[in-house]
Each structure stands twice: as structure tokens, then as C-alpha cells.
Amino acid sequence: MATGITIKGLVKRFGDKTIIDHVSFDIAVGELVCLLGPSGCGKTTTLRCIAGLEAPEEGRIEINGQPVFDSAEKLAVEPYRRNAGMVFQSYAIWPHLSVFENVAFPLRVRNTPNAEVEKKVMRTLDMVGLADFRARSAQQLSGGQQQRVAVARAIVHEPDVLLFDEPLSNLDARLRDATRAEIRRLQRELNVAAVYVTHDQAEALSLADRILVMSEGRIHQAGTPQEIYGAPRDAFVADVVGATNFLDIAVHAVGDGTVQGVAPDGAPLRVTGRMAAPGPARVMVRPDRLRVAPDAGEQGENCLHGTVRQRLFMGGHYEYAIAIGPTVLRAFSPVQVAEGGRVTVSFEPCDCIVLETRGAP
Ligand SMILES: Nc1ncnc2c1ncn2[C@@H]1O[C@H](COP(=O)(O)OP(=O)(O)OP(=O)(O)O)[C@@H](O)[C@H]1O
Ligand SMILES: [Mg+2]
């Protein structure tokens, strides 16, 4: 598959702080990759390096096979010649310009003839459903409409890559869903490599072909949404991609792909994972993988007993906080149990994964 964006050994420092620390990744043409990670981990800086808005200290960046930055060759192509379309964290549209002129801007800076500007801007405004608003001042638009102007401006010049920096963070939930679907459709239609930065794990899971989880300027784990969600390499990744429960257990037998131990309440456990030897371990299980039932005294593997501390009605399910010994588990379940009620909480071995082992050699 053709490569849309290649990054090799990228290093960016601000003062004596290394913000991007030898980051390398490839994005295929047509692929949408989400950068996910806590505030300050370097997501925006990575995008700005690709767009040419920051000068990295080291590394090489290629767009569609063409080098646009190379520290060894002292190459740094100007931002507007990199042909990237970028939607910023704040959408940065110009309030004093009309919708048409906002979208026309990337074409004007490239000295595009007027007739072509007219044709391309109107086609793009059509795509984002704003053709009727062409003459309106950008100030007179709703937040969602302004966001679509920003998206139109990012794609009007038929960019080779699309860079989105939390483009939906200012929208309400319904508009966010609609605009997200629209961005995905447009990116597919343009068939370009896209990097999409978000804080929002649900957004990353639903949108991305691949997720890169970043931490302190490095790629901590890369994989499909299913891999990142289902097989996080540690507690940090498990937490970044969604609500999860961690349990500290004592493992007494190690098998091929599963281990056996005991839960904090003494219940016998069999969970998925590899350990060199028995010892303490931290395991994770997602709230939607826990089965909740009124306590009828069942015993057995992966069957814990606890008390409902809190119950929230979420529409399709209840969200429970269940105290099991000293540990509180979150569980999502359609089953109704009152606060204070005794419950059993059970799960399949495949849904509970060993994340970290301590003390084991
Ligand atoms: N121009 C700058 N000068 C100095 N430090 C900077 C500059 N820009 C960013 N930083 C620092 O670099 C680090 C990474 O910033 P960046 O904006 O890439 O984070 P981010 O992952 O996008 O975070 P957020 O999710 O909050 O947007 C932060 O510690 C930030 O303070
Ligand atoms: Mg940012």
C-alpha cells in the first residue's frame, strides 16, 4: 500500500525539554490514524511538525513519498508547499471574512485563478452542506457551522494529507457525532492519509483505522482500535482507551496463556495472560464485560461477591459501583439491583487480562 505520511526519528525540543522523543510511524494513503494521549504528551506538536509549523531538531518527514523535512539534509519545505490540510484545536476561522473567503484562503495563497477558486470553493461548500451560506460573515454562524467551514478550508485545495487537532471539542454531542461521520466520509472520498488528534477515547475507537497512544513524547502502543482496547500493553493504555477496572490478585499457578489465582475477596480466578512464575499481578476487566446478578450464593471460578455502592441509570443500562472487599468495580449492566443490595459479579477468563506482574522473576 502506498505511504501517505512517513515519520522517522522525529525529535522536537522546546528549550531543554524534549517534547517529541524519537517518534517514528507510517500512515498509508487512505488510512486514518488517531493520536491519543493525555494533555501535554505532544500530539499537537507532532501535527505541527508534519504541517511545517514547527522546526524539529532531528528526523525525516515524507508526504506521499516526497521528503518535506530532513534534519541531515537540512531540508525544510515551507508549510504551504507541503499541501497539508489542517483543522486546528480552535478552528481559527476569520470572523471578518465571508464563509466563501474563509474557504477560498488556501487557494488564494497559492495564486489560484478566480474561476477555479469559485468552482472549488462551491464544490467544497456543497460537500459540507454550506453552499447557501457562502456570502454570510463567518461571525454569524453557529459553532457547528464554523467547524464545517474549518473542515471545508482544510480540504478545498485537495491536500495530500489531512491533519485534525481535536476538531470537534467545541461541539455538542449530537453535532459532534454528525461532524465526525462527515469527516470520515470526506477523508474516505479524498482518499488521503489523515492524522486525527483527540482526547476522547470513544472518538478514537470509532473513527480510527489505527490508534497511536502517546505518552511523554513517545509512541507507547500502536494498533487497531480492537487491539488497543482488547489487549492494552499496560495499565496506562488500558486507562487511556476507556473506563476499566484494575484488580490486584495473587497468582498461584501459571499455565499456557492463562493463570490461576485469588481475588481480593478470596474468590478463585482464571484469567488470560502469561507470567514467568506465580506472584502478585494486576489484571484488568472492562465494565461492560462484567455480569451482574442478585447474589444467590453461587460459588466458582471468576465469581465475586460484593455490595452495590452506587447505581446510575444510563438509559440502555445501569452503571454500578460495586464494592468487593477493599476494591470498587465499575460495571455496566441492564440488570436492576438496588443500592445496598448484594450481588455476584462474574466474567469470562478471556475478558480479564494480566497487565502487570510484580515480584515475579
Ligand atoms: N511553543 C512552545 N514553547 C514551549 N513549550 C511548548 C510549546 N508548545 C508546546 N509546548 C509544550 O510541549 C508539550 C506538548 O505540547 P502539545 O501542545 O503538543 O501537547 P498536546 O498533547 O497537544 O496536549 P493537549 O491535549 O493539551 O492539547 C507541553 O508540555 C507544552 O507545554
Ligand atoms: Mg493539543
Side-chain angles (χ1 to χ4, degrees):
M1 212 187 308
T3 310
I5 301 174
T6 302
I7 295 192
K8 285 188 193 137
L10 193 69
V11 174
K12 173 68 196 160
R13 296 191 191 94
F14 287 118
D16 58 0
K17 266 186 72 185
T18 302
I19 302 300
I20 305 296
D21 191 3
H22 297 91
V23 161
S24 302
F25 59 82
D26 290 321
I27 302 180
V29 169
E31 188 182 27
L32 191 152
V33 165
C34 278
L35 291 185
L36 188 61
S39 186
C41 71
K43 305 181 295 294
T44 296
T45 306
T46 303
L47 281 198
R48 290 175 57 83
C49 288
I50 299 171
L53 304 173
E54 297 288 355
E57 271 67 38
E58 289 175 38
R60 181 178 170 93
I61 302 173
E62 293 172 12
I63 294 180
N64 288 347
Q66 297 299 313
V68 294
F69 176 81
D70 192 305
S71 58
E73 293 173 14
K74 301 211 179 321
L75 170 77
V77 172
E78 293 96 326
Y80 75 95
R81 291 186 49 222
R82 293 192 184 192
N83 207 25
M86 183 155 177
V87 181
F88 295 90
Q89 214 160 353
S90 58
Y91 2 109
I93 63 173
W94 292 286
H96 57 287
L97 293 182
S98 68
V99 166
F100 185 96
E101 284 306 325
N102 262 285
V103 176
F105 185 81
L107 301 172
R108 302 270 189 229
V109 298
R110 289 170 174 80
N111 295 318
T112 312
N114 272 332
E116 202 178 325
V117 170
E118 173 74 23
K119 201 173 83 198
K120 287 189 167 167
V121 170
M122 288 319 294
R123 192 185 61 201
T124 311
L125 285 176
D126 250 346
M127 280 169 99
V128 300
L130 286 178
D132 293 344
F133 292 80
R134 61 171 290 172
R136 199 152 324 158
S137 142
Q139 228 163 1
Q140 301 164 325
L141 297 177
S142 73
Q145 289 162 340
Q146 291 185 30
Q147 192 67 72
R148 282 187 276 155
V149 171
V151 170
R153 191 183 52 192
I155 64 177
V156 70
H157 57 292
E158 292 154 32
D160 292 324
V161 295
L162 281 173
L163 307 171
F164 295 102
D165 194 359
E166 304 201 34
L168 310 182
S169 48
N170 295 314
L171 302 185
D172 70 39
R174 191 193 294 248
L175 256 176
R176 202 158 54 219
D177 289 350
T179 313
R180 183 192 300 142
E182 186 73 358
I183 284 177
R184 185 61 175 153
R185 190 182 63 75
L186 288 170
Q187 185 260 341
R188 284 266 153 86
E189 205 170 300
L190 297 169
N191 194 34
V192 294
V195 189
Y196 190 106
V197 167
T198 179
H199 264 106
D200 179 340
Q201 41 90 9
E203 188 160 285
L205 291 170
S206 62
L207 199 57
D209 295 309
R210 210 148 44 94
I211 294 175
L212 307 179
V213 178
M214 283 187 78
S215 164
E216 297 178 355
R218 295 185 189 185
I219 308 288
H220 194 71
Q221 186 174 0
T224 63
Q226 289 80 0
E227 285 164 354
I228 298 282
Y229 188 82
R233 66 172 252 213
D234 57 21
F236 172 79
V237 176
D239 213 33
V240 163
V241 291
T244 195
N245 292 300
F246 300 109
L247 267 177
D248 290 316
I249 70 167
V251 171
H252 54 66
V254 174
D256 186 19
T258 62
V259 304
Q260 284 170 283
V262 287
D265 70 340
L269 296 176
R270 190 156 53 89
V271 307
T272 303
R274 287 172 203 287
M275 285 172 72
R282 173 161 287 192
V283 300
M284 66 152 254
V285 57
R286 300 278 177 197
D288 54 349
R289 295 305 165 98
L290 293 173
R291 285 187 301 265
V292 177
D295 195 350
E298 310 88 300
Q299 299 292 333
E301 233 168 39
N302 299 350
C303 183
L304 314 178
H305 299 265
T307 305
V308 174
R309 284 272 176 269
Q310 190 183 45
R311 186 187 78 181
L312 300 172
F313 181 56
M314 306 303 288
H317 64 266
Y318 291 94
E319 186 175 322
Y320 288 101
I322 298 169
I324 295 177
T327 307
V328 176
L329 295 184
R330 278 176 83 189
F332 304 155
S333 168
V335 173
Q336 245 192 84
V337 183
E339 288 181 358
R342 293 285 298 166
V343 287
T344 60
V345 177
S346 57
F347 52 86
E348 295 301 320
C350 62
D351 290 326
C352 187
I353 299 162
V354 175
L355 283 178
E356 288 163 22
T357 58
R358 272 154 299 149

